[in-house]
Amino acid sequence: ARVNYGDGSVRDVVFHKAVFTDANGAPDGIVGAMIDISERKELERRLEVLAATDFLTGVYNLRTFYDLARHELSRQARNGGELSLVVMDIDRFKEINDSLGHAAGDDALRKFVAVVTENLREHDIFARAGGDEFRLLLPATSPAGAHLVAERIRRAVNRITIRSPRGEIRLSISVGIARCHP
């Protein structure tokens, strides 16, 4: 349970209760203990986030993406409507890692994710598929609408320059769009 403590904090607790009996075996009272498990619950919440997200970029991982996509496809099958998938790949990512270093590659991934995230609605589903490949599921969005979103992202990504002591490179992406059918 969640309980309010006297100091105003809200804590996660577990209650253990037992009935004790008199000499004849009749209930005579109850005894219990309340154990604060707030730290354990916070650790569980953090582990759930770590299991669902990509450690480098903070966006959903591919497993979580498929779970959420399955839910969206079911919703679309029940309610109708549009659903589009955008697949994005950072161009020349191997070149970034090889010529500028892996720290620059990590920087490119984080900057790319920041730009994409700025261009999404709350209910859009964005995930790293692996390496430099990303998936974006756009509920209630036609392919034409997905094209507008992808173009807005592409223009913003094209303004990103990755710099390192070894040089610099401007980012660009390749994009594919598909209409999803239930």
Side-chain angles (χ1 to χ4, degrees):
R2 293 185 61 84
V3 297
N4 294 319
Y5 274 33
D7 66 1
S9 64
V10 178
R11 308 290 289 181
D12 290 297
V13 298
V14 64
F15 294 100
H16 293 282
K17 299 176 188 177
V19 174
F20 59 91
T21 57
D22 62 18
N24 296 325
D28 194 31
I30 190 167
V31 65
M34 180 176 75
I35 302 168
D36 186 334
I37 59 167
S38 297
E39 288 180 17
R40 183 181 93 194
K41 295 301 277 186
E42 177 57 29
L43 178 60
E44 288 174 2
R45 284 187 280 275
R46 288 195 336 236
L47 288 173
E48 286 174 4
V49 168
L50 289 172
T53 58
D54 174 66
F55 75 97
L56 179 63
T57 62
V59 298
Y60 290 126
N61 60 30
L62 195 56
R63 181 182 53 81
T64 303
F65 177 81
Y66 284 134
D67 290 343
L68 295 171
R70 210 173 358 267
H71 173 75
E72 282 300 322
L73 284 167
S74 294
R75 195 170 62 76
Q76 181 196 26
R78 281 190 315 275
N79 303 331
E82 299 275 4
L83 182 62
S84 292
L85 172 69
V86 178
V87 178
M88 296 176 282
D89 184 271
I90 299 174
D91 298 333
R92 303 177 324 275
F93 187 71
K94 183 176 179 343
E95 179 184 331
I96 294 170
N97 277 332
D98 291 348
S99 64
L100 301 181
H102 288 279
D106 291 350
D107 186 40
L109 291 169
R110 284 190 289 268
K111 287 180 176 177
F112 168 76
V113 164
V115 162
V116 174
T117 303
E118 290 171 4
N119 286 283
L120 299 182
R121 302 166 299 183
E122 186 177 322
H123 61 276
D124 294 335
I125 301 167
F126 180 43
R128 184 177 180 194
D132 63 331
E133 297 176 13
F134 293 82
R135 306 286 185 267
L136 175 57
L137 195 63
L138 302 171
T141 306
S142 67
H147 183 269
L148 292 173
V149 171
E151 182 59 23
R152 190 171 58 238
I153 290 169
R154 187 194 63 76
R155 282 194 311 268
V157 168
N158 284 353
R159 291 190 294 269
I160 299 173
T161 300
I162 303 301
R163 293 178 176 85
S164 84
R166 297 179 182 172
E168 65 181 47
I169 193 168
R170 187 174 295 266
L171 287 188
S172 63
I173 58 173
S174 296
V175 178
I177 297 170
R179 172 187 229 163
C180 300
H181 297 281

